[in-house]
Amino acid sequence: ESIIASPEVVHYVCKRFGIHMSKKLGQNFLIKRGVVDEIVHAADLNAGEPVLEIGPGIGTLTQGLAQSGADVTAIELDRRLLEVLDTTLAAYDNVRIIHGDVLKLDVPDIMNHKQFKVVANLPYYITTPIIMSLLESRLPIERMVMMVQREVALRMVAKPGTKDYGALSVAVQYYTEPDIVMDVPPKAFLPAPSVTSAVIRCVLRKEPPVDVVDEKLFFRVVKAGFEQRRKTFSNTMKTTGLSKEEIEMILEKANIDGQRRGETFSLQEFADVANAWHSIK
Ligand code: SAM
């Protein structure tokens, strides 16, 4: 039984420990049992399986994860919450709390270099840096199930040519297969955030969906493609430092019309450009 996930208990716990939620640290605690259950379900956890929770807060979601029998490691930055977590998670011997900043800690080391899953109700002020650093680190992650702002979830699943499509869409779709599990209204949190949230599940791919010879080059092209959204792709490619002639040669080789805008390019087209660039180097 999850015991914290209700408005009354979250109020009680915060009052008892004198916790004032910090806006700066993105502290919006879940108060709906149903949402905790959906997140745990989407994580598809097995007993003994390593799972990393980012930002356990007062332990609401952590309890749900612990009850699945998974081997839970939770990283929390706010020192004040450590004694709260000691109490709310006292009944579970399969939870380990680590104090620190998830962006600064040595995550592979903490997870013993084994495959793991990530589950989190993310602090919204650093959503994108956390997701990008997890993806780029190439850690052996099986999936990530995360609460994010709905607007960010839409960017992660966006298709070429839509207003939400950007560098985040390409990176997420290159490394994972993302899908939105559910929308979550502000009233599922205490305090209620100003925006609607969503739970997104990103299952890591075993193989990239397109052939890329040089990933660094691929992501440079993607970055350039979205750098100046109003410009043609030929023009915005100049931000990479290539000359006009080199860009023309690359586009011809890739068989791409440089008058198009980068935001209409599929992953395959970005890969074609990057591979053409690689071949003339
Ligand atoms: N998991 C809890 C829940 O669902 O109720 C709390 C989620 S709250 C949105 C985000 C949590 O992340 C807060 O507890 C906050 O203190 C923590 N946090 C913020 N920045 C962090 C960081 N850089 N590293 C680790 N935790 C962080």
Side-chain angles (χ1 to χ4, degrees), residues 13 31 35 41 46 64 84 100 102 111 128 150 157 162 185 192 209 230-231 238 259 264:
V13 170
I31 52 173
V35 177
H41 180 74
N46 299 304
V84 183
V102 68
M111 300 310 289
T128 308
R150 181 161 188 276
V157 300
T162 63
R230 260 156 243 292
K231 294 210 172 157
K238 287 182 191 148
Q259 294 310 300
T264 67

PDB file of all heavy atoms in Angstrom, residues 13 31 35 41 46 64 84 100 102 111 128 150 157 162 185 192 209 230-231 238 259 264:
ATOM      1  N   VAL A  13       2.955  15.296   6.668  1.00  0.00           N
ATOM      2  CA  VAL A  13       4.399  15.025   6.697  1.00  0.00           C
ATOM      3  C   VAL A  13       5.182  16.341   6.625  1.00  0.00           C
ATOM      4  O   VAL A  13       6.122  16.566   7.385  1.00  0.00           O
ATOM      5  CB  VAL A  13       4.809  14.077   5.530  1.00  0.00           C
ATOM      6  CG1 VAL A  13       6.322  13.987   5.390  1.00  0.00           C
ATOM      7  CG2 VAL A  13       4.206  12.691   5.733  1.00  0.00           C
ATOM      8  N   ILE A  31       0.338  13.996  -4.983  1.00  0.00           N
ATOM      9  CA  ILE A  31      -0.625  13.690  -3.921  1.00  0.00           C
ATOM     10  C   ILE A  31      -1.706  12.731  -4.416  1.00  0.00           C
ATOM     11  O   ILE A  31      -2.703  12.512  -3.740  1.00  0.00           O
ATOM     12  CB  ILE A  31      -1.298  14.977  -3.361  1.00  0.00           C
ATOM     13  CG1 ILE A  31      -1.878  15.839  -4.483  1.00  0.00           C
ATOM     14  CG2 ILE A  31      -0.296  15.795  -2.555  1.00  0.00           C
ATOM     15  CD1 ILE A  31      -2.704  17.025  -3.982  1.00  0.00           C
ATOM     16  N   VAL A  35      -1.792   8.344  -9.865  1.00  0.00           N
ATOM     17  CA  VAL A  35      -0.686   8.767 -10.732  1.00  0.00           C
ATOM     18  C   VAL A  35       0.576   7.976 -10.379  1.00  0.00           C
ATOM     19  O   VAL A  35       1.308   7.517 -11.264  1.00  0.00           O
ATOM     20  CB  VAL A  35      -0.446  10.296 -10.617  1.00  0.00           C
ATOM     21  CG1 VAL A  35       0.746  10.718 -11.457  1.00  0.00           C
ATOM     22  CG2 VAL A  35      -1.694  11.067 -11.034  1.00  0.00           C
ATOM     23  N   HIS A  41       3.535   1.367 -12.980  1.00  0.00           N
ATOM     24  CA  HIS A  41       3.098   0.408 -13.991  1.00  0.00           C
ATOM     25  C   HIS A  41       3.879   0.595 -15.297  1.00  0.00           C
ATOM     26  O   HIS A  41       4.353  -0.374 -15.901  1.00  0.00           O
ATOM     27  CB  HIS A  41       1.597   0.559 -14.231  1.00  0.00           C
ATOM     28  CG  HIS A  41       1.060  -0.392 -15.250  1.00  0.00           C
ATOM     29  ND1 HIS A  41       0.880  -1.733 -14.996  1.00  0.00           N
ATOM     30  CD2 HIS A  41       0.702  -0.201 -16.541  1.00  0.00           C
ATOM     31  CE1 HIS A  41       0.435  -2.322 -16.088  1.00  0.00           C
ATOM     32  NE2 HIS A  41       0.314  -1.424 -17.039  1.00  0.00           N
ATOM     33  N   ASN A  46      10.595  -5.317 -12.204  1.00  0.00           N
ATOM     34  CA  ASN A  46      10.669  -6.677 -11.664  1.00  0.00           C
ATOM     35  C   ASN A  46      11.371  -6.637 -10.313  1.00  0.00           C
ATOM     36  O   ASN A  46      12.190  -5.742 -10.065  1.00  0.00           O
ATOM     37  CB  ASN A  46      11.466  -7.569 -12.613  1.00  0.00           C
ATOM     38  CG  ASN A  46      10.818  -7.648 -13.976  1.00  0.00           C
ATOM     39  OD1 ASN A  46       9.652  -8.011 -14.099  1.00  0.00           O
ATOM     40  ND2 ASN A  46      11.559  -7.258 -15.005  1.00  0.00           N
ATOM     41  N   GLY A  64       5.971   3.720  -3.931  1.00  0.00           N
ATOM     42  CA  GLY A  64       5.391   2.904  -4.996  1.00  0.00           C
ATOM     43  C   GLY A  64       6.443   2.025  -5.662  1.00  0.00           C
ATOM     44  O   GLY A  64       6.209   0.845  -5.941  1.00  0.00           O
ATOM     45  N   VAL A  84      13.207  13.194   6.497  1.00  0.00           N
ATOM     46  CA  VAL A  84      11.826  12.827   6.148  1.00  0.00           C
ATOM     47  C   VAL A  84      11.832  11.451   5.464  1.00  0.00           C
ATOM     48  O   VAL A  84      11.053  10.559   5.814  1.00  0.00           O
ATOM     49  CB  VAL A  84      11.198  13.866   5.188  1.00  0.00           C
ATOM     50  CG1 VAL A  84       9.745  13.504   4.895  1.00  0.00           C
ATOM     51  CG2 VAL A  84      11.311  15.276   5.740  1.00  0.00           C
ATOM     52  N   GLY A 100      22.689  14.435  -3.083  1.00  0.00           N
ATOM     53  CA  GLY A 100      23.542  15.116  -4.045  1.00  0.00           C
ATOM     54  C   GLY A 100      22.768  15.590  -5.263  1.00  0.00           C
ATOM     55  O   GLY A 100      21.557  15.384  -5.368  1.00  0.00           O
ATOM     56  N   VAL A 102      22.006  15.258  -9.078  1.00  0.00           N
ATOM     57  CA  VAL A 102      22.069  14.189 -10.082  1.00  0.00           C
ATOM     58  C   VAL A 102      22.964  14.573 -11.260  1.00  0.00           C
ATOM     59  O   VAL A 102      23.564  13.702 -11.897  1.00  0.00           O
ATOM     60  CB  VAL A 102      20.655  13.793 -10.562  1.00  0.00           C
ATOM     61  CG1 VAL A 102      20.006  14.931 -11.363  1.00  0.00           C
ATOM     62  CG2 VAL A 102      20.687  12.525 -11.388  1.00  0.00           C
ATOM     63  N   MET A 111      25.205   3.255  -9.836  1.00  0.00           N
ATOM     64  CA  MET A 111      24.370   2.140 -10.293  1.00  0.00           C
ATOM     65  C   MET A 111      25.205   0.883 -10.568  1.00  0.00           C
ATOM     66  O   MET A 111      24.736  -0.053 -11.222  1.00  0.00           O
ATOM     67  CB  MET A 111      23.579   2.544 -11.546  1.00  0.00           C
ATOM     68  CG  MET A 111      22.639   3.728 -11.347  1.00  0.00           C
ATOM     69  SD  MET A 111      21.550   3.571  -9.901  1.00  0.00           S
ATOM     70  CE  MET A 111      20.440   2.278 -10.444  1.00  0.00           C
ATOM     71  N   THR A 128      15.353  19.366 -19.176  1.00  0.00           N
ATOM     72  CA  THR A 128      16.100  19.076 -20.398  1.00  0.00           C
ATOM     73  C   THR A 128      17.562  18.704 -20.112  1.00  0.00           C
ATOM     74  O   THR A 128      18.043  17.703 -20.651  1.00  0.00           O
ATOM     75  CB  THR A 128      15.979  20.234 -21.414  1.00  0.00           C
ATOM     76  OG1 THR A 128      14.579  20.511 -21.571  1.00  0.00           O
ATOM     77  CG2 THR A 128      16.559  19.879 -22.750  1.00  0.00           C
ATOM     78  N   ARG A 150       3.867  19.051 -19.738  1.00  0.00           N
ATOM     79  CA  ARG A 150       3.240  18.486 -20.925  1.00  0.00           C
ATOM     80  C   ARG A 150       3.868  19.047 -22.207  1.00  0.00           C
ATOM     81  O   ARG A 150       4.081  18.319 -23.175  1.00  0.00           O
ATOM     82  CB  ARG A 150       1.739  18.775 -20.897  1.00  0.00           C
ATOM     83  CG  ARG A 150       1.007  18.214 -22.082  1.00  0.00           C
ATOM     84  CD  ARG A 150      -0.470  18.093 -21.827  1.00  0.00           C
ATOM     85  NE  ARG A 150      -1.090  17.380 -22.932  1.00  0.00           N
ATOM     86  CZ  ARG A 150      -1.473  17.969 -24.059  1.00  0.00           C
ATOM     87  NH1 ARG A 150      -1.306  19.263 -24.213  1.00  0.00           N
ATOM     88  NH2 ARG A 150      -1.993  17.253 -25.032  1.00  0.00           N
ATOM     89  N   VAL A 157       8.025  13.976 -28.404  1.00  0.00           N
ATOM     90  CA  VAL A 157       7.411  13.047 -29.374  1.00  0.00           C
ATOM     91  C   VAL A 157       7.095  13.713 -30.716  1.00  0.00           C
ATOM     92  O   VAL A 157       6.560  13.066 -31.617  1.00  0.00           O
ATOM     93  CB  VAL A 157       6.107  12.405 -28.814  1.00  0.00           C
ATOM     94  CG1 VAL A 157       6.383  11.624 -27.541  1.00  0.00           C
ATOM     95  CG2 VAL A 157       5.035  13.458 -28.556  1.00  0.00           C
ATOM     96  N   THR A 162       6.342  20.142 -37.478  1.00  0.00           N
ATOM     97  CA  THR A 162       5.376  20.660 -36.503  1.00  0.00           C
ATOM     98  C   THR A 162       6.063  21.691 -35.617  1.00  0.00           C
ATOM     99  O   THR A 162       7.290  21.728 -35.545  1.00  0.00           O
ATOM    100  CB  THR A 162       4.811  19.526 -35.615  1.00  0.00           C
ATOM    101  OG1 THR A 162       5.898  18.965 -34.852  1.00  0.00           O
ATOM    102  CG2 THR A 162       4.188  18.422 -36.455  1.00  0.00           C
ATOM    103  N   PRO A 185      -3.001  16.658 -14.405  1.00  0.00           N
ATOM    104  CA  PRO A 185      -3.410  18.034 -14.120  1.00  0.00           C
ATOM    105  C   PRO A 185      -2.665  18.607 -12.914  1.00  0.00           C
ATOM    106  O   PRO A 185      -2.165  17.847 -12.075  1.00  0.00           O
ATOM    107  CB  PRO A 185      -4.897  17.892 -13.795  1.00  0.00           C
ATOM    108  CG  PRO A 185      -5.044  16.512 -13.259  1.00  0.00           C
ATOM    109  CD  PRO A 185      -4.011  15.678 -13.981  1.00  0.00           C
ATOM    110  N   ALA A 192       0.256  23.045  -6.432  1.00  0.00           N
ATOM    111  CA  ALA A 192      -0.094  22.819  -7.831  1.00  0.00           C
ATOM    112  C   ALA A 192       0.794  23.679  -8.725  1.00  0.00           C
ATOM    113  O   ALA A 192       0.914  24.879  -8.496  1.00  0.00           O
ATOM    114  CB  ALA A 192      -1.560  23.176  -8.054  1.00  0.00           C
ATOM    115  N   PRO A 209      17.853   4.445 -35.060  1.00  0.00           N
ATOM    116  CA  PRO A 209      16.870   4.250 -36.128  1.00  0.00           C
ATOM    117  C   PRO A 209      17.416   4.621 -37.500  1.00  0.00           C
ATOM    118  O   PRO A 209      16.820   4.278 -38.517  1.00  0.00           O
ATOM    119  CB  PRO A 209      15.735   5.196 -35.732  1.00  0.00           C
ATOM    120  CG  PRO A 209      16.407   6.261 -34.928  1.00  0.00           C
ATOM    121  CD  PRO A 209      17.553   5.617 -34.220  1.00  0.00           C
ATOM    122  N   ARG A 230      13.971  30.608 -38.707  1.00  0.00           N
ATOM    123  CA  ARG A 230      13.349  31.258 -39.854  1.00  0.00           C
ATOM    124  C   ARG A 230      14.193  31.155 -41.126  1.00  0.00           C
ATOM    125  O   ARG A 230      13.751  31.503 -42.209  1.00  0.00           O
ATOM    126  CB  ARG A 230      13.084  32.725 -39.527  1.00  0.00           C
ATOM    127  CG  ARG A 230      11.654  32.971 -39.151  1.00  0.00           C
ATOM    128  CD  ARG A 230      11.500  34.207 -38.307  1.00  0.00           C
ATOM    129  NE  ARG A 230      10.985  33.843 -36.991  1.00  0.00           N
ATOM    130  CZ  ARG A 230       9.769  33.378 -36.767  1.00  0.00           C
ATOM    131  NH1 ARG A 230       8.911  33.229 -37.740  1.00  0.00           N
ATOM    132  NH2 ARG A 230       9.376  33.044 -35.556  1.00  0.00           N
ATOM    133  N   LYS A 231      15.420  30.697 -40.962  1.00  0.00           N
ATOM    134  CA  LYS A 231      16.323  30.677 -42.119  1.00  0.00           C
ATOM    135  C   LYS A 231      16.267  29.344 -42.865  1.00  0.00           C
ATOM    136  O   LYS A 231      15.860  28.324 -42.315  1.00  0.00           O
ATOM    137  CB  LYS A 231      17.749  30.934 -41.651  1.00  0.00           C
ATOM    138  CG  LYS A 231      17.899  32.343 -41.091  1.00  0.00           C
ATOM    139  CD  LYS A 231      19.292  32.861 -41.307  1.00  0.00           C
ATOM    140  CE  LYS A 231      19.368  34.327 -40.912  1.00  0.00           C
ATOM    141  NZ  LYS A 231      20.718  34.714 -40.598  1.00  0.00           N
ATOM    142  N   LYS A 238      25.623  27.589 -41.964  1.00  0.00           N
ATOM    143  CA  LYS A 238      26.834  28.423 -41.870  1.00  0.00           C
ATOM    144  C   LYS A 238      27.295  28.560 -40.419  1.00  0.00           C
ATOM    145  O   LYS A 238      28.469  28.847 -40.161  1.00  0.00           O
ATOM    146  CB  LYS A 238      26.580  29.807 -42.468  1.00  0.00           C
ATOM    147  CG  LYS A 238      26.490  29.780 -43.976  1.00  0.00           C
ATOM    148  CD  LYS A 238      26.291  31.179 -44.536  1.00  0.00           C
ATOM    149  CE  LYS A 238      25.933  31.123 -46.003  1.00  0.00           C
ATOM    150  NZ  LYS A 238      25.046  32.216 -46.409  1.00  0.00           N
ATOM    151  N   GLN A 259      17.043  24.967 -49.650  1.00  0.00           N
ATOM    152  CA  GLN A 259      16.068  26.047 -49.443  1.00  0.00           C
ATOM    153  C   GLN A 259      15.024  25.674 -48.388  1.00  0.00           C
ATOM    154  O   GLN A 259      14.264  26.520 -47.931  1.00  0.00           O
ATOM    155  CB  GLN A 259      15.352  26.391 -50.765  1.00  0.00           C
ATOM    156  CG  GLN A 259      16.279  26.996 -51.813  1.00  0.00           C
ATOM    157  CD  GLN A 259      17.091  28.152 -51.248  1.00  0.00           C
ATOM    158  OE1 GLN A 259      16.542  29.149 -50.784  1.00  0.00           O
ATOM    159  NE2 GLN A 259      18.420  28.002 -51.249  1.00  0.00           N
ATOM    160  N   THR A 264      11.958  20.939 -40.947  1.00  0.00           N
ATOM    161  CA  THR A 264      11.161  19.970 -41.712  1.00  0.00           C
ATOM    162  C   THR A 264      11.930  18.667 -41.929  1.00  0.00           C
ATOM    163  O   THR A 264      11.404  17.727 -42.526  1.00  0.00           O
ATOM    164  CB  THR A 264      10.786  20.533 -43.107  1.00  0.00           C
ATOM    165  OG1 THR A 264      12.001  20.653 -43.881  1.00  0.00           O
ATOM    166  CG2 THR A 264      10.106  21.886 -43.007  1.00  0.00           C
TER     167      THR A 264
END
